C-alpha cells in the first residue's frame, strides 16, 4: 500500500491512521507534503491530520520541510519524513554466505556486512554468524557516526568497546535495545558528553531507534511462526524456531520469511506496481509473487516454490528429493556452462507462471543471473514471446530486478519497516 488507503476517525484506529500519514510522508520524499494534501489523500479530517502530525513531530518522525504557496491564504507548511528517526536491519541468509544491511526509514542502505557461511554447519554456528553480522553492521554505523560527530578518529580502544557493547546480550528485565548499549558505550568510549558525541539526528542516536531485524533465507518455512521446515538441501533445519532463537540473542524483534518473498516485498515497497513475479536464481531457484500489490505467500508460506515444479519427468535428481525440477535443470545447465539452456529452462518455468497468474512483468535476480544478465533476459523473454504468439496475447516483459546483490537483504529490512507504514504484508 502506498498511501492509497483511506483513514478512519476512530480512536481504535489511531495507529492505523498514523501509518497512512507516515507512508505518504515517505513517498513524498524530501519535497514533503502539506497537511491539507494528507487529509485529501487519507480521507481523514484536517483536525485528525493535525493531531497525528503533531505526535509524529513530537516523536521525531516528521519535521517541517519549508512552505509552499497555496491558491488562497497564507503559504502551507510542508512536512517530511525524518529518515534517521529509526532503522531496521535486513539479513540475507544464503546457503554459503550471510549479508546484513542497516537501512533508515526510507529504506536507504547506511551500513552493510558480508561474511562466508555454511548453512549446513549447524544451528549454533549459523546463529552466531547471523548475530555477529547484525551487531557488526550496527557497530560500524555507530563508530562512523561517533567519529564524524567528534571529528576525530575513534581510538582502537573505543572501537573495541563499541564492538563489545553490541556483543553483550540485552537484559530482558531492562527492556533495553541493542542500540541503547551501542549508543551509551560509544559515548563513554570517546570521553565526551552525550550531546557532544551524538547531536540531534545522528545515526542510532535515539533510544529504541533499531526497530528490529528481518531475516530472509531459502524455504520452505513458516513465516507466521518464524519456524523453518525442510530447507531445500538442508533438511536438518526442519522445525527449528529461527525467529525465537535470534530474537533471544539480539534482544530486538525478529521477522523471518523466504528470500524470494523478502525481495518481492522490497521491490513493491520501492515502487514496483501491479502483479509481478521475482525469479531468484542463485544457489537455488525460487519465486516471490506480488499479486495486486501484496506479497502472496499462501496459507502456509508455501507459494513461490517455483524451482521445484517438475518440467521433465524422470529428469535429473533435485536436492528436494524429486526429479526433473526447474532448479535442477537450470543449475545443471549453468554448471555445464550452457547459459542459453539455463535461460530457456528458466523461461519455461516463467511461462507456466504467466499462464497461471496472468502477471504483468517478470523480474530476474540472484547472483547467477547477475553474472550474465543479458543472456537470461534474452532467453526468458524469447520463451515468453513464443508463448504470446501462440495465445495471441501481448508478451509479458522481462527485466533484471533493481537492487543487485542487496535485493534480498534490503527486502528483509522491509519485513520490519512495512507495518510502520501500514503495509500489512511485512
Amino acid at each position: 500500500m502506498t498511501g492509497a488507503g483511506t483513514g478512519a476517525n476512530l480512536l481504535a484506529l489511531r495507529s492505523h491512521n498514523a501509518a497512512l500519514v507516515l507512508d505518504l510522508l515517505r513517498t513524498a520524499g524530501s519535497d514533503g507534503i502539506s497537511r491539507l494534501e494528507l487529509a485529501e489523500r487519507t480521507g481523514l479530517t484536517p483536525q485528525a491530520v493535525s493531531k497525528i502530525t503533531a505526535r509524529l513531530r513530537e516523536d521525531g518522525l516528521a519535521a517541517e520541510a519549508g512552505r509552499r504557496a497555496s491558491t488562497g491564504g497564507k503559504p502551507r507548511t510542508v512536512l517530511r519524513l525524518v529518515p534517521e528517526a529509526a532503522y531496521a536491519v535486513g539479513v540475507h541468509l544464503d546457503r554459503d554466505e550471510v549479508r546484513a544491511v542497516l537501512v533508515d526509514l526510507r529504506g536507504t542502505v547506511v551500513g552493510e556486512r558480508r561474511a562466508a557461511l555454511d548453512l549446513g554447519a549447524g544451528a549454533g554456528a549459523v546463529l552466531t554468524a547471523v548475530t555477529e553480522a547484525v551487531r557488526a553492521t550496527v557497530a560500524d554505523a555507530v563508530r562512523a557516526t561517533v567519529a564524524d560527530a567528534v571529528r576525530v578518529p575513534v581510538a582502537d580502544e573505543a572501537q573495541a568497546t563499541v564492538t563489545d557493547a553490541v556483543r553483550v546480550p540485552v537484559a530482558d528485565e531492562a527492556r533495553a535495545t541493542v542500540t541503547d548499549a551501542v549508543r551509551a558505550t560509544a559515548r563513554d568510549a570517546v570521553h565526551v558528553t552525550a550531546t557532544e558525541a551524538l547531536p540531534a539526528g545522528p545515526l542510532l542516536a535515539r533510544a529504541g531507534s533499531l526497530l528490529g531485524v528481518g531475516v530472509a533465507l531459502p524455504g520452505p518455512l513458516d513465516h507466521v511462526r518464524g519456524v523453518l521446515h525442510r530447507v531445500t538441501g538442508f533438511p536438518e533445519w526442519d522445525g527449528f524456531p529461527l525467529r525465537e532463537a535470534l530474537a533471544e540473542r539480539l534482544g530486538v524483534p525478529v521477522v523471518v520469511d523466504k528470500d524470494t518473498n523478502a525481495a518481492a516485498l522490497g521491490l513493491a515497497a520501492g515502487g514496483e506496481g501491479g502483479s509481478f513475479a521475482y525469479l531468484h536464481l542463485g544457489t537455488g531457484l525460487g519465486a516471490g509473487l506480488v499479486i495486486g500489490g501484496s506479497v502472496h505467500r499462501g496459507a502456509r508460506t508455501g507459494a513461490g516454490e517455483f524451482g521445484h515444479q517438475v518440467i521433465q519427468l524422470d529428469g535429473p535428481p533435485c536436492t528436494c528429493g524429486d526429479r526433473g525440477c526447474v532448479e535442477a535443470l537450470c543449475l545443471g545447465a549453468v554448471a555445464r556452462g550452457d547459459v542459453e539452456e539455463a535461460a530457456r529452462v528458466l523461461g519455461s518455468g516463467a511461462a507456466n507462471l504467466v499462464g497461471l497468474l496472468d502477471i504483468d512483468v517478470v523480474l530476474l535476480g540472484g547472483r547467477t543471473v547477475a553474472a550474465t544478465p543479458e543472456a537470461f533476459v534474452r532467453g526468458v523473454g524469447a520463451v515468453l514471446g513464443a508463448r504470446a504468439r501462440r495465445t495471441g496475447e501481448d508478451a509479458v516483459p522481462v527485466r533484471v530486478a533493481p537492487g543487485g546483490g542487496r535485493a534480498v537483504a534490503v527486502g528483509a529490512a522491509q519485513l520490519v519497516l512495512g507495518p510502520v507504514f501500514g503495509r500489512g504484508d511485512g
Side-chain angles (χ1 to χ4, degrees):
M1 180 177 66
T2 310
T6 56
N9 296 305
L10 299 171
L11 182 62
L13 295 181
R14 188 171 67 178
S15 60
H16 166 73
N17 290 336
L20 289 177
V21 171
L22 270 175
D23 197 43
L24 287 171
L25 291 172
R26 179 185 68 87
T27 56
S30 58
D31 291 338
I33 185 171
S34 71
R35 292 178 180 85
L36 179 60
E37 291 172 297
L38 289 170
E40 291 173 347
R41 297 278 297 276
T42 60
L44 296 168
T45 65
Q47 294 83 356
V49 168
S50 291
K51 289 181 180 179
I52 290 171
T53 54
R55 286 197 302 271
L56 294 177
R57 291 184 65 186
E58 184 179 333
D59 293 340
L61 293 167
E64 286 193 9
R67 294 184 179 273
R68 183 180 299 163
S70 63
T71 54
K74 63 181 182 180
R76 299 171 185 165
T77 299
V78 178
L79 301 174
R80 65 173 179 85
L81 180 71
V82 179
E84 64 271 20
Y87 296 83
V89 173
V91 176
H92 181 191
L93 180 55
D94 208 344
R95 293 171 174 86
D96 59 0
E97 76 166 18
V98 58
R99 181 194 296 257
V101 298
L102 181 70
V103 306
D104 63 20
L105 285 177
R106 264 196 203 126
T108 302
V109 176
V110 296
E112 181 175 12
R113 274 290 183 111
R114 292 176 67 187
L117 173 85
D118 177 5
L119 194 57
V126 171
L127 290 174
T128 296
V130 173
T131 301
E132 290 301 314
V134 170
R135 291 172 171 169
T137 303
V138 174
D140 285 348
V142 172
R143 281 200 297 268
T145 303
V146 171
D148 290 342
V150 298
R151 298 186 180 278
V152 294
V154 178
D156 291 341
E157 297 87 355
Q159 293 184 1
T161 306
V162 173
T163 304
D164 291 343
V166 292
R167 286 178 177 167
V168 176
V170 180
D172 291 336
E173 60 272 20
R175 308 295 294 174
T177 65
V178 172
T179 51
D180 291 328
V182 175
R183 189 182 64 260
T185 309
R187 178 195 63 210
D188 295 338
V190 294
H191 306 292
V192 293
T193 66
T195 303
E196 291 170 328
L198 297 165
L203 193 63
L204 301 179
R206 295 178 178 83
S209 61
L210 183 60
L211 299 175
V213 177
V215 181
L217 70 159
L221 54 81
D222 185 332
H223 164 66
V224 175
R225 297 190 300 129
V227 174
L228 306 187
H229 294 322
R230 295 176 64 85
V231 176
T232 305
F234 302 90
E236 63 271 21
W237 284 101
D238 190 21
F240 186 80
L242 182 63
R243 182 181 67 191
E244 178 183 331
L246 283 175
E248 182 178 350
R249 288 191 176 218
L250 294 170
V252 294
V254 174
V255 185
V256 174
D257 205 348
K258 292 198 296 189
D259 47 8
T260 49
N261 288 343
L265 177 63
L267 291 168
E272 188 68 47
S275 299
F276 63 87
Y278 168 76
L279 307 184
H280 185 92
L281 180 60
T283 57
L285 173 61
L289 307 174
V290 171
I291 309 298
S294 297
V295 175
H296 177 69
R297 295 183 174 90
R300 294 166 294 277
T301 326
E305 289 298 318
F306 170 84
H308 302 293
Q309 54 176 311
V310 175
I311 62 172
Q312 181 181 324
L313 295 177
D314 301 321
C318 181
T319 53
C320 72
D322 214 330
R323 303 184 70 91
C325 294
V326 177
E327 177 177 301
L329 294 167
C330 197
L331 292 179
V334 171
R336 297 191 303 272
D338 193 346
V339 176
E340 289 188 0
E341 172 64 9
R344 188 183 71 83
V345 171
L346 186 60
S348 296
N352 289 342
L353 270 185
V354 170
L356 285 170
L357 301 176
D358 194 21
I359 53 179
D360 300 314
V361 62
V362 172
L363 301 174
L364 307 180
R367 69 176 76 165
T368 303
V369 169
T372 51
E374 298 85 0
F376 277 100
V377 170
R378 184 173 59 249
V380 174
V383 177
L384 295 185
R387 178 188 180 279
R389 288 191 292 273
R390 292 194 304 271
T391 62
E393 302 168 349
D394 292 334
V396 172
V398 181
R399 63 177 188 267
V400 174
R406 291 175 169 174
V408 173
V410 170
Q414 289 296 331
L415 294 168
V416 176
L417 294 181
V420 174
F421 299 104
R423 298 192 297 271
D425 56 2

